[in-house]
Amino acid sequence: MSMSWDQVFVLLGILLGLSGGAFGLWWGRKQAARNRGLDERYQVISSKSQATAWKITLGAIYFLFILLICGVQLSVAPTLGILLLIHMAGWAFSSVYFNVKL
């Protein structure tokens, strides 16, 4: 089984994105701990933003199911990519929102 160059670049992009995100999360938490930023406020914001992101994702899942029922042809990989993008964007935007609000 040989992979085309497109497949190699996509796999490389996925692995680099995953490792970059994990490194950013680790580095951000390390810097926040250094500045005493991992307090109760951080915990509340983190849990609220994660819950909000899942609610946004649930809404997107319902919307995609409605599209499917209406006859729109959806393939698996793009649909999962859309859901991942919506979930991560919902998490990021709700984190910013709760940081400003609280």
Side-chain angles (χ1 to χ4, degrees), residues 41-90:
R41 182 177 180 269
Y42 170 81
Q43 298 297 330
V44 168
I45 289 171
S46 179
S47 87
K48 281 187 174 196
S49 65
Q50 288 174 5
T52 303
W54 279 111
K55 290 173 187 171
I56 292 169
T57 304
L58 182 63
I61 290 170
Y62 276 114
F63 179 72
L64 290 171
F65 273 130
I66 290 169
L67 287 179
L68 187 65
I69 290 169
C70 290
V72 176
Q73 294 294 322
L74 302 170
S75 60
V76 175
T79 303
L80 288 175
I82 290 168
L83 286 175
L84 180 63
L85 182 67
I86 288 172
H87 183 74
M88 298 305 285

Side-chain angles (χ1 to χ4, degrees), residues 3-23:
M3 294 176 62
S4 69
W5 282 109
D6 290 341
Q7 291 173 323
V8 170
F9 287 133
V10 167
L11 183 60
L12 195 64
I14 289 172
L15 294 176
L16 285 174
L18 180 65
S19 61
F23 177 75

